[in-house]
Structure formats: C-alpha cells, structure tokens
Amino acid sequence: MGCGSSNPQNVVEPSKQPVPTENTENLPKAISTRSVRSTKSQNAAASRTSLKQSVENVNPTSSSNLRQSSPNNFKLNYFDLTGRGELIRLVFAAGNINYEDNRVKFEQWPELKELMPLGQLPTLQVNDEFVLVQSLSIARFVAKEAGLAGRDSVEMAKVDAVLETCKEFFDLFAQQVGPQLRNATDEKEEIVRDFLDNVAPSNLQKLQQLVEQYGSEGFSVGEQLTVADLFIHDIITNLIFLDAFILDPYPLLKQNRNATESNDSLRSYLEQRKQLNRRRS
Ligand SMILES: N[C@@H](CCC(=O)N[C@@H](CS)C(=O)NCC(=O)O)C(=O)O
C-alpha cells in the first residue's frame, strides 16, 4: 500500500493492524445489506458501540465548524492519516462544505474492508445512497460541488492536467518514500535523500512549468483557487516535512502555496490540523 504520508503519526500500515470490529450501520443500503450477512444480528450491540466510536473519530477540525449548507450529505471514510484522504479534506475545507470526517481506526479496518467496493479507502458516501471510490475521483467530485474545479471546460482541462501531474508525483512518493516512513530500514536516510535530490526536482519543475503556463495571480489554473492548487499544496506539505527548504529553487511554487493559503477556510483548517498534530506529538 502506498498512502504517501510523511508525518510520522500518519505512517502506520493499516493492513497490519488486527482485531476487527463492525462499523457498518451507516453505510449506504447497497453495501450495508451485504454487510449484514452473518454478523449483524449477533453483533448489533458491538455495531452500535463501534458506530459510536466511529462518530467519536470524527475530526473536529473539519466537521464541527458548520459550513456552507449543501443539498448533499457527505461522509468521508479514511484512516486517521493524511495520505490519499487529505486532498479530499482540503477540498471540503477550502470549499467550506460540511461533511463527516470518519477516521477509521485500524482495528475496524479488516471488517470494513470487505464492505468497501474496492476494499480500499478513501471512500465517500453521498446521501447514504452511493459510495464513490478512488481518491482523485472523489476530490474532483467534491471540487465540482465546491466550485473549485475550474470555471469552464478549458480551465477544467487544465486543472485535470495539473491533477494528473500531481498524481504521478504523489504515486512516486508513496511507492519510494512511503515504505521507509512506515517501517524504516537502514537505508531510510539514503532513500529519502535520493528521492529529494533525484526524483522531486524534475517533478517540482513540471508543476512550476504548469503554474507558469496555466495560472496567474499565484494560482496554478486561472486566477482563483482550484483543486489543482490543493493537490500541489498537499504534496509539498509532505516534502517540506522532509526538507524545509525544498521550495527555495521554485519561486512560482512558493507563490502558489501563499496564494492557496489565502483562502480563509483552508487556512483555518490548516491551523487546526497543525494544532491537532502538536497535541498528538
Ligand atoms: N487508487 C486508490 C488507492 C487507495 C489505497 O491505496 N488505499 C489504501 C490507503 S492509502 C488502503 O485502503 N489500504 C488498505 C488496504 O488496502 O487494505 C485511491 O487513490 O483511492
């Protein structure tokens, strides 16, 4: 698995965590019907308990500030990691959309895994009616809901181009650095340094190139915030954690980060995230 979190709190391997518990009650019907099978009747009480736990997992940084009212009801299921779920949280935050941030505990995962369409997280439950899978598809969907997907078809295409470029970079990070962050080997330092010195620069250069060609006012596409800026922000957060000076050779990416952080709702989410991490460390 490649989750791509560089924060040390965020790098435990979910599939290595034992002790399944049931957490199925508020899954959409198509899934919860399958979920019931043998365990539901015996474990109704346990299920209620874990539902309660699941609700307790909800991250106060993104759900307790009641935000923009949306006709839709969203529940994001992901581990208590940044990884592949964080971009979606950033889109919800920047778009000021209220959602339930269900942070799945590792011990809940083995059972929940069977109920997820692809056996992976993140997933997004919409109106308890259907479940979306694939982090980038979910991020794009929420971005459309939030008005952060680009203003017309040309901007949307440019946003897509930046997102695909980010995804290639994110996947490299998750594959090459991710395992070292989860279970460090003796080669950890060398592998991380090699990534920062030999893989990151060409990818940062590609992103800077796109910001230059497609964006203005610091944004990567058009002249206002889109999900493309948020993915760049997310990736660079991971890199800055490993090397605080990584952006020094990329002035446009620095500007882009500042422009992105000029969104008040996003800034308040980032601040709360920082405080939460401080409290945990
Ligand atoms: N392409 C998928 C990959 C999802 C993925 O790898 N999810 C990992 C967490 S980052 C997962 O669910 N791992 C647990 C498992 O596979 O059992 C996406 O972008 O959503």
Side-chain angles (χ1 to χ4, degrees), residues 4-262:
S5 290
S6 60
N7 184 326
Q9 285 127 20
N10 290 344
V11 293
V12 184
E13 177 80 65
S15 41
K16 291 194 174 152
Q17 306 297 315
V19 199
T21 57
E22 192 174 355
N23 180 23
T24 61
E25 275 189 12
N26 47 356
L27 287 172
K29 286 189 178 45
I31 289 187
S32 51
T33 311
R34 274 202 297 134
S35 81
V36 181
R37 289 202 292 253
S38 56
T39 48
K40 186 164 182 185
S41 54
Q42 301 123 299
N43 291 341
S47 183
R48 276 192 298 278
T49 306
S50 46
L51 175 61
K52 184 169 170 291
Q53 286 165 347
S54 160
V55 170
E56 282 165 358
N57 284 348
V58 169
N59 175 10
T61 62
S62 51
S63 66
S64 66
N65 305 332
L66 268 194
R67 296 168 186 262
Q68 178 176 301
S69 62
S70 162
N72 292 317
N73 189 323
F74 300 111
K75 178 175 177 179
L76 174 66
N77 301 301
Y78 193 61
F79 303 106
D80 193 11
L81 312 169
T82 51
R84 292 182 192 270
E86 191 63 11
L87 171 60
I88 303 163
R89 295 188 188 116
L90 295 179
V91 182
F92 274 125
N96 216 12
I97 292 183
N98 190 39
Y99 73 109
E100 183 181 346
D101 187 10
N102 180 32
R103 305 235 169 185
V104 174
K105 290 190 170 141
F106 295 140
E107 60 267 24
Q108 293 174 313
W109 177 234
E111 185 138 350
L112 197 59
K113 182 176 172 70
E114 291 180 26
L115 310 176
M116 291 293 138
L118 300 183
Q120 288 186 316
L121 297 177
T123 59
L124 183 72
Q125 292 168 227
V126 184
N127 299 331
D128 285 344
E129 281 166 7
F130 63 97
V131 179
L132 283 177
V133 297
Q134 294 290 6
S135 54
L136 202 47
S137 306
I138 298 170
R140 284 186 170 109
F141 169 74
V142 178
K144 283 178 195 145
E145 296 282 298
L148 295 171
R151 286 172 301 186
D152 55 32
S153 57
V154 172
E155 276 196 9
M156 285 176 194
K158 290 175 179 171
V159 164
D160 270 350
V162 176
L163 291 179
E164 294 298 333
T165 309
C166 286
K167 184 178 175 340
E168 283 177 6
F169 192 7
F170 187 96
D171 286 347
L172 288 171
F173 180 84
Q175 283 153 17
Q176 295 179 24
V177 179
Q180 296 304 319
L181 297 172
R182 287 195 295 278
N183 301 303
T185 65
D186 292 345
E187 290 84 46
K188 175 185 167 181
E189 295 279 300
E190 201 184 320
I191 290 173
V192 169
R193 201 63 255 167
D194 180 62
F195 184 87
L196 294 174
D197 291 345
N198 300 318
V199 180
S202 60
N203 285 278
L204 288 167
Q205 191 53 48
K206 284 183 192 172
L207 290 176
Q208 176 155 274
Q209 177 82 14
L210 293 183
V211 173
E212 186 171 12
Q213 286 191 3
Y214 294 161
S216 68
E217 314 286 332
F219 295 106
S220 62
V221 175
E223 62 218 14
Q224 60 186 42
L225 186 75
T226 65
V227 58
D229 301 304
L230 297 171
F231 206 173
I232 295 174
H233 192 280
D234 188 33
I235 291 178
I236 289 175
T237 301
N238 279 324
L239 297 177
I240 286 177
F241 189 82
L242 300 172
D243 177 352
F245 304 104
I246 190 118
L247 280 193
D248 281 359
Y250 308 98
L252 291 185
L253 292 182
K254 274 191 176 176
Q255 266 179 35
N256 175 249
R257 200 165 170 83
N258 290 336
T260 302
E261 289 177 4
S262 67

Side-chain angles (χ1 to χ4, degrees), residues 260-275:
T260 302
E261 289 177 4
S262 67
N263 176 294
D264 288 342
S265 317
L266 180 73
R267 216 174 37 252
S268 122
Y269 172 75
L270 295 176
E271 190 47 44
Q272 290 176 66
R273 184 176 76 179
K274 209 191 296 172
Q275 282 168 16

